[in-house]
Amino acid sequence: MIKNTNSHKATAISAEQKAAMTPREIVAFLDEYIIGQHDAKRAVAIALRNRYRRLHLPQEVQEEITPKNILMIGSTGVGKTEIARRMAKIMGLPFIKVEASKYTEVGFVGRDVESMIRDLVSASIALIQAEHQEKNKQAIQDYIIDKITRILIPPLPASVSEEKKKEYEQSFAKMRQKVQSGALDHLQIDIEVTKKTEVFDNGMPPDIMKVQESLIKVLSHDEKIKKTLLIKEAKDVLLQEAKDAVLDMESIRAEGLKRAESSGVVFIDEIDKIATNSKDSRSDPSKEGVQRDLLPIIEGSTISTKYGIIKTDYILFVAAGAFHLSKPSDLIPELQGRFPIRVELDNLDEEAMYKILTQTRSSLITQYKHLLSVEQVELVFKEDALRLLAHFAYLANQKTEDIGARRLHTILERILEDISFNAQDFCGKKVTIDKKLIKEKLANLVSNTDMSHYIL
């Protein structure tokens, strides 16, 4: 298993190294954030590794190999979304999470299913832009510093002597150093910024979006606005202008489109909400329509976006649902066939709850400790208190609706509410959360099923 120290390195490795991670390494990374659910982790890790393997095959073989989509079945709060989100993050993949219940059949008012692919392309371009921005970080900073320095020391006319030019260069270098070091951040300067008209995607077809963008370019002009700002503020305001000047947005868009097509991941949550149960007379007929609209996208089709055409053949689709009121077999047969890998996630028992509290990175306990440390309050949890917390969370899930690990959020908020509200009274002190305090706060609520329904 990758230790915590290695996981810090894992987040800093190159895109090539991320793509080459073995299934064992991917599972080890996921183990740091999600307790148990090994079948789901293994399925995801194998799917990602198969992408790497595919890209190292001859072109004619690559075209024949499509991703094996995954269907996760499990109650809410057991880690379905977290597994998909974490694996996309560590691998640096374009990723979006959508809810199947938010889409409508073509012809109905609402979002059509093709919009999820357009959202994926936008997410991919944003990811590529962030990568390019990191690579060109120094060039972007140099642009900002140079522009501010030129405002403080305007350029010389062309007809000056060589001696004057040398003096100017020396003065410019000294001033630039001061601007860069932050020594002049308290001074005010006048800068001109460009006011751009933004085009928002309101679910319109890509062709109409392109026409709208073209009209705006023709009918409007970039308006210059003069602002008086502190140099510290000016550095932030000029960031977008610097990115536009340094980064090649055309190549970023092309690369983003390509990566979405070859490495994109779409996580479709609540897919059970569009399943149609023949025994249920209240079934919505439009649900089957959404399934039929999803089918060509998951099978592989060509979608038009405002950035260009994208094929969905090699996008990995991970669907998830609780399937409390329906079964996977209630989905239309064609859609079932497009999710050949099915994994069932386990409900969380008391031991799993305890491990989530204590063994995961960025656990809730760690988060609350960090939050209250801002108020100079040292939060300490005793071992038996953590065990009791896990017990009450499990008990509440058993007696009321099972919401998995999300129950821990509710319980911890209940316990720490007074301490968090009156944090100033505990400034500079150590606050210990023991078994007695937890019993005082929770014992009556958990034992009273009616109250638990509303409070926990």
Side-chain angles (χ1 to χ4, degrees):
M1 177 175 172
I2 301 174
K3 300 293 182 185
N4 284 356
T5 52
N6 290 341
S7 64
H8 285 294
K9 294 176 185 176
T11 55
I13 61 178
S14 67
E16 292 78 13
Q17 288 172 309
K18 287 178 179 180
M21 286 178 73
T22 65
R24 200 173 290 172
E25 289 172 335
I26 295 169
V27 170
F29 172 80
L30 293 173
D31 281 341
E32 296 189 2
Y33 295 93
I34 300 115
I35 296 299
Q37 315 302 4
H38 295 294
D39 289 346
K41 291 174 185 173
R42 284 168 65 94
V44 163
I46 292 168
L48 293 178
R49 185 63 178 180
N50 280 341
R51 284 190 154 187
Y52 173 81
R53 292 163 179 160
R54 173 183 166 270
L55 293 173
H56 287 75
L57 295 171
Q59 186 65 37
E60 64 272 14
V61 181
Q62 281 189 36
E63 291 175 1
E64 298 299 322
I65 299 174
T66 55
K68 304 299 181 285
N69 299 320
I70 301 167
L71 177 63
M72 294 184 183
I73 304 163
S75 303
T76 182
V78 296
K80 302 186 297 293
T81 308
E82 191 68 3
I83 289 172
R85 190 172 66 85
R86 290 289 177 186
M87 67 92 177
K89 185 175 181 181
I90 183 60
M91 302 296 286
L93 303 174
F95 173 82
I96 58 158
K97 174 185 176 289
V98 300
E99 294 178 4
S101 55
K102 295 291 173 69
Y103 295 97
T104 59
E105 184 181 357
V106 171
F108 286 73
V109 175
R111 298 201 78 190
D112 66 283
V113 293
E114 288 187 1
S115 64
M116 69 173 67
I117 303 302
R118 293 194 281 270
D119 292 342
L120 178 67
V121 171
S122 297
S124 180
I125 289 170
L127 180 68
I128 301 296
Q129 186 176 350
E131 289 176 3
H132 280 247
Q133 189 175 332
E134 185 61 32
K135 286 178 187 175
N136 295 279
K137 192 174 180 180
Q138 191 58 53
I140 291 169
Q141 285 301 313
D142 288 345
Y143 179 95
I144 294 170
I145 300 302
D146 286 343
K147 177 149 188 176
I148 293 173
T149 307
R150 281 194 295 271
I151 293 170
L152 294 170
I153 304 180
L156 291 172
S159 58
V160 296
S161 64
E162 288 297 321
E163 187 178 344
K164 287 285 184 184
K165 285 182 181 178
K166 285 183 180 180
E167 288 178 7
Y168 174 81
E169 287 171 3
Q170 290 173 355
S171 300
F172 186 90
K174 288 179 183 178
M175 184 64 75
R176 191 184 187 284
Q177 179 60 37
K178 288 181 180 180
V179 173
Q180 191 169 19
S181 67
L184 305 178
D185 280 357
H186 62 286
L187 298 179
Q188 286 188 331
I189 57 169
D190 291 331
I191 64 168
E192 282 189 342
V193 293
T194 304
K195 183 182 178 182
K196 292 187 176 180
T197 307
E198 291 189 50
V199 181
F200 294 99
D201 183 359
N202 294 318
M204 291 184 292
D207 294 339
I208 296 177
M209 290 278 293
K210 284 181 181 178
V211 170
Q212 186 183 5
E213 284 183 343
S214 301
L215 285 172
I216 287 172
K217 285 178 183 177
V218 171
L219 299 176
S220 67
H221 60 278
D222 291 340
E223 185 183 348
K224 295 283 186 180
I225 304 171
K226 184 173 276 190
K227 289 187 176 183
T228 301
L229 301 168
L230 294 174
I231 288 178
K232 184 178 181 180
E233 297 169 339
K235 289 176 181 176
D236 294 329
V237 170
L238 290 170
L239 180 60
Q240 187 57 51
E241 181 183 320
K243 286 192 286 188
D244 290 342
V246 173
L247 303 181
D248 181 357
M249 286 308 298
E250 284 303 316
S251 66
I252 287 173
R253 289 188 183 109
E255 189 180 342
L257 198 66
K258 184 179 177 183
R259 190 180 296 187
E261 189 174 82
S262 62
S263 305
V265 179
V266 176
F267 182 82
I268 307 174
D269 203 4
E270 297 185 350
I271 198 165
D272 56 317
K273 300 294 193 300
I274 60 168
T276 52
N277 190 337
S278 58
K279 295 179 183 177
D280 186 359
S281 60
R282 297 172 299 170
S283 292
D284 185 352
S286 68
K287 289 180 180 180
E288 187 171 321
V290 175
Q291 293 183 57
R292 295 201 179 279
D293 288 346
L294 269 174
L295 188 60
I297 293 174
I298 297 174
E299 282 183 332
S301 58
T302 302
I303 306 293
S304 178
T305 76
K306 68 176 183 177
Y307 301 108
I309 304 295
I310 178 173
K311 290 174 67 179
T312 66
D313 301 62
Y314 306 108
I315 293 172
L316 176 65
F317 291 89
V318 181
F323 289 99
H324 288 317
L325 304 175
S326 59
K327 308 182 296 295
S329 58
D330 290 328
L331 296 170
I332 60 174
E334 300 92 331
L335 191 59
Q336 290 180 50
R338 295 310 299 172
F339 290 93
I341 300 173
R342 296 186 185 182
V343 287
E344 208 161 328
L345 284 82
D346 304 319
N347 287 336
L348 302 176
D349 57 17
E350 194 172 317
E351 184 63 22
M353 290 287 195
Y354 170 75
K355 288 180 179 178
I356 289 168
L357 279 174
T358 57
Q359 295 182 15
T360 56
R361 289 186 61 196
S362 305
S363 66
L364 280 176
I365 298 297
T366 306
Q367 291 175 32
Y368 278 107
K369 284 181 177 180
H370 285 315
L371 285 171
L372 286 169
S373 69
V374 175
E375 310 276 2
Q376 297 177 7
V377 178
E378 185 183 351
L379 203 57
V380 177
F381 285 83
K382 287 194 171 180
E383 176 68 16
D384 58 354
L386 291 170
R387 289 284 180 186
L388 191 60
L389 266 174
H391 172 71
F392 279 145
Y394 173 71
L395 208 60
N397 276 347
Q398 293 297 106
K399 290 189 173 186
T400 61
E401 192 71 28
D402 188 351
I403 59 171
R406 292 188 178 94
R407 185 73 65 186
L408 294 169
H409 292 257
T410 311
I411 283 180
L412 275 169
E413 278 293 333
R414 185 80 184 171
I415 290 166
L416 298 174
E417 184 181 27
D418 290 340
I419 297 167
S420 188
F421 185 80
N422 300 306
Q424 69 275 13
D425 298 337
F426 300 99
C427 185
K429 296 178 182 178
K430 180 191 285 187
V431 178
T432 302
I433 307 299
D434 56 17
K435 205 170 178 180
K436 182 183 175 184
L437 176 64
I438 292 171
K439 281 184 176 178
E440 287 175 1
K441 293 280 186 181
L442 297 179
N444 290 335
L445 286 174
V446 173
S447 61
N448 188 331
T449 308
D450 291 335
M451 288 185 69
S452 296
H453 273 289
Y454 296 101
I455 300 173
L456 294 180

